[in-house]
């Protein structure tokens, strides 16, 4: 079985690789798929091995790493700022509401970083790409050469990362603010074909008796998510193929079986209905658009940073 957690891991590590390397590179360095070839030719394969080792121990880690990468890129761009711990001068993004007791995989990134530093000082965006391939998902060309961040922004993490309770218009706006289109947003949401969510994030939805949720699906979910307590109980985002990178997430939405409110709004009569329908019928289209969106997300704010 395949897990999207791998994708996250690999993509995040690739970014980290880039960021660490940037600390010793000129300020005008440009992103390039071959950025590390002259200085660290074994970096990519070293990262890939480290990520695969982590996912083989914990299949859920693939989804966790993709989410980790998303939560990094959506704040200050893909600069690994989410990895910074609390200090006298830094309010760590790890303690922002969307991240605290939720985001995981930091130890996997640190392990990959240590492996790479044995041969050269680098790591972060190749991880996601390699993870995707490892679990049967798409591949894409990663342009390397990012700069590591020395600052974090807890306040920005709290405001920029979209909530699982918001409506379609808010989601579209949040992604547009990062230079990502509706197509990018829907494709990236497809990462929820893997991974799990905590009970408190979907409790209201499964007890709403709303017309946008299948009654049998809601009843099944309530078994592991009581009205009171059990906030941290986990449920797979895709009940049918929770460990496979496929397009079943979109089929679920068309059946009103999206676990999170922010999932189901993608198929609720709005402008994204067509994309959900297309991806549910055409897994190759989904894989292609997902890969393209991952490339775009991996380069959020990078051009402005290169020119600064």
């Amino acid at each position: 079985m395949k897990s999207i957690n791998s994708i996250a891991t690999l993509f995040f590590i690739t970014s980290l690789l880039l960021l660490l390397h940037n600390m010793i590179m000129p300020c005008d360095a440009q992103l390039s798929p071959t950025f590390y070839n002259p200085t660290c030719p074994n970096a990519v394969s070293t990262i890939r091995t480290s990520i695969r080792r982590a996912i083989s121990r914990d299949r859920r880690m693939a989804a966790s790493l993709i989410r980790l990468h998303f939560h990094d890129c959506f704040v200050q761009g893909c600069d690994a700022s989410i990895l910074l711990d609390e200090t006298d001068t830094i309010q760590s993004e790890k303690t922002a509401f969307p991240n605290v007791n939720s985001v995981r995989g930091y130890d996997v990134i640190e392990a990959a970083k240590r492996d790479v530093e044995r041969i050269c000082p680098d790591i972060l965006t190749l991880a996601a790409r390699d993870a995707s391939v490892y679990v049967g998902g798409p591949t894409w060309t990663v342009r390397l050469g990012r700069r590591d961040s020395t600052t974090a922004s807890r306040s920005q993490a709290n405001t920029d990362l979209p909530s699982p309770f918001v409506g379609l218009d808010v989601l579209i706006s949040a992604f547009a603010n990062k230079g990502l289109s509706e197509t990018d947003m829907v494709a990236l949401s497809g990462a929820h074909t893997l991974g799990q969510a905590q009970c408190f994030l979907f409790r209201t939805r499964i007890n709403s008796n709303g017309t946008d949720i299948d009654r049998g699906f809601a009843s099944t979910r309530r078994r592991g998510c009581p009205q009171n307590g059990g906030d941290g109980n986990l449920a797979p985002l895709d009940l049918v193929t929770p460990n496979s990178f496929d397009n079943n997430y979109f089929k679920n939405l068309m059946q009103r079986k999206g676990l999170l409110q922010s999932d189901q709004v993608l198929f609720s009569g709005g402008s994204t209905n067509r994309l959900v329908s297309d991806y549910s019928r055409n897994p190759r289209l989904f894989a292609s658009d997902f890969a393209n969106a991952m490339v775009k997300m991996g380069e959020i704010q990078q051009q402005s940073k290169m020119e600064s």
Side-chain angles (χ1 to χ4, degrees), residues 3-6 8 59-68 194-195:
S3 171
I4 226 172
N5 289 318
S6 315
R59 297 294 295 181
R60 182 186 167 203
M61 186 52 64
S64 297
L65 290 171
I66 285 189
R67 184 164 181 259
L68 184 60
L194 293 168

Side-chain angles (χ1 to χ4, degrees), residues 71 74-76 82 92-99 153-162:
H71 280 225
F74 232 70
V75 178
Q76 298 184 152
I82 195 172
S92 177
E93 292 171 24
K94 293 180 179 181
T95 53
F97 179 73
N99 300 331
S153 177
R154 182 193 299 165
S155 60
Q156 193 174 347
N158 279 324
T159 58
D160 286 17
L161 288 165

Side-chain angles (χ1 to χ4, degrees), residues 129-256:
R129 191 268 310 278
D130 292 341
S132 175
V133 175
Y134 182 73
V135 297
T139 186
W140 55 90
T141 299
V142 176
R143 296 201 301 158
L144 308 177
R146 291 163 182 75
R147 298 177 181 176
D148 208 351
S149 178
T150 58
T151 63
S153 177
R154 182 193 299 165
S155 60
Q156 193 174 347
N158 279 324
T159 58
D160 286 17
L161 288 165
S163 162
F165 307 109
V166 298
L168 182 60
D169 289 346
V170 175
L171 285 175
I172 291 173
S173 177
F175 279 76
N177 288 340
K178 302 298 179 180
L180 299 171
S181 67
E182 286 188 26
T183 297
D184 298 326
M185 179 193 70
V186 177
L188 289 171
S189 296
H192 281 181
T193 187
L194 293 168
Q196 302 183 62
Q198 297 183 68
C199 171
F200 79 95
L201 296 175
F202 58 86
R203 177 184 284 121
T204 298
R205 172 163 165 73
I206 62 175
N207 287 287
S208 66
N209 294 317
T211 59
D212 66 341
I213 186 168
D214 178 84
R215 290 187 178 182
F217 172 76
S219 176
T220 298
R221 294 304 196 191
R222 286 196 293 268
R223 295 172 192 167
C225 184
Q227 284 275 15
N228 298 296
D231 285 3
N233 291 357
L234 296 172
L237 290 159
D238 174 10
L239 184 62
V240 182
T241 55
N243 295 314
S244 296
F245 186 89
D246 55 27
N247 66 334
N248 204 67
Y249 166 80
F250 300 103
K251 296 178 182 179
N252 292 338
L253 297 186
M254 295 185 69
Q255 297 172 12
R256 297 179 297 133

Side-chain angles (χ1 to χ4, degrees), residues 8-308:
T9 305
L10 291 176
F11 199 68
F12 199 75
I13 287 187
T14 297
S15 300
L16 180 57
L17 186 95
L18 308 176
L19 305 179
L20 295 172
H21 186 72
N22 290 333
M23 296 175 67
I24 60 172
M25 293 303 293
C27 293
D28 60 352
Q30 298 298 306
L31 297 181
S32 168
T34 60
F35 187 84
Y36 291 105
N37 287 7
T39 59
C40 194
N42 295 323
V44 175
S45 60
T46 300
I47 290 172
R48 181 180 300 120
T49 299
S50 183
I51 296 305
R52 287 180 173 179
R53 186 166 56 240
I55 296 170
S56 68
R57 291 194 297 262
D58 178 5
R59 297 294 295 181
R60 182 186 167 203
M61 186 52 64
S64 297
L65 290 171
I66 285 189
R67 184 164 181 259
L68 184 60
H69 176 70
F70 176 82
H71 280 225
D72 178 50
C73 294
F74 232 70
V75 178
Q76 298 184 152
C78 303
D79 60 359
S81 58
I82 195 172
L83 302 178
L84 297 175
D85 292 320
E86 197 90 4
T87 69
D88 291 340
T89 59
I90 294 176
Q91 285 191 317
S92 177
E93 292 171 24
K94 293 180 179 181
T95 53
F97 179 73
N99 300 331
V100 67
N101 297 323
S102 175
V103 169
R104 62 197 292 267
Y106 299 114
D107 56 330
V108 173
I109 301 301
E110 287 299 321
K113 176 176 177 290
R114 287 193 298 271
D115 288 345
V116 170
E117 286 180 337
R118 293 191 183 102
I119 56 172
C120 60
D122 295 304
I123 317 178
L124 222 182
T125 303
L126 293 171
R129 191 268 310 278
D130 292 341
S132 175
V133 175
Y134 182 73
V135 297
T139 186
W140 55 90
T141 299
V142 176
R143 296 201 301 158
L144 308 177
R146 291 163 182 75
R147 298 177 181 176
D148 208 351
S149 178
T150 58
T151 63
S153 177
R154 182 193 299 165
S155 60
Q156 193 174 347
N158 279 324
T159 58
D160 286 17
L161 288 165
S163 162
F165 307 109
V166 298
L168 182 60
D169 289 346
V170 175
L171 285 175
I172 291 173
S173 177
F175 279 76
N177 288 340
K178 302 298 179 180
L180 299 171
S181 67
E182 286 188 26
T183 297
D184 298 326
M185 179 193 70
V186 177
L188 289 171
S189 296
H192 281 181
T193 187
L194 293 168
Q196 302 183 62
Q198 297 183 68
C199 171
F200 79 95
L201 296 175
F202 58 86
R203 177 184 284 121
T204 298
R205 172 163 165 73
I206 62 175
N207 287 287
S208 66
N209 294 317
T211 59
D212 66 341
I213 186 168
D214 178 84
R215 290 187 178 182
F217 172 76
S219 176
T220 298
R221 294 304 196 191
R222 286 196 293 268
R223 295 172 192 167
C225 184
Q227 284 275 15
N228 298 296
D231 285 3
N233 291 357
L234 296 172
L237 290 159
D238 174 10
L239 184 62
V240 182
T241 55
N243 295 314
S244 296
F245 186 89
D246 55 27
N247 66 334
N248 204 67
Y249 166 80
F250 300 103
K251 296 178 182 179
N252 292 338
L253 297 186
M254 295 185 69
Q255 297 172 12
R256 297 179 297 133
K257 295 179 179 179
L259 184 61
L260 303 178
Q261 185 64 31
S262 56
D263 288 327
Q264 193 59 54
V265 295
L266 300 182
F267 194 78
S268 57
S271 59
T272 55
N273 270 29
R274 179 188 58 81
L275 283 166
V276 171
S277 179
D278 288 347
Y279 291 156
S280 73
R281 296 192 306 266
N282 192 336
R284 289 187 178 181
L285 177 62
F286 163 50
S288 175
D289 285 355
F290 179 82
N292 291 334
M294 288 292 276
V295 171
K296 290 178 65 175
M297 187 176 72
E299 298 179 7
I300 290 176
Q301 298 180 359
Q302 285 304 313
Q303 189 59 41
S304 61
K305 290 182 180 182
M306 292 292 184
E307 295 172 352
S308 62

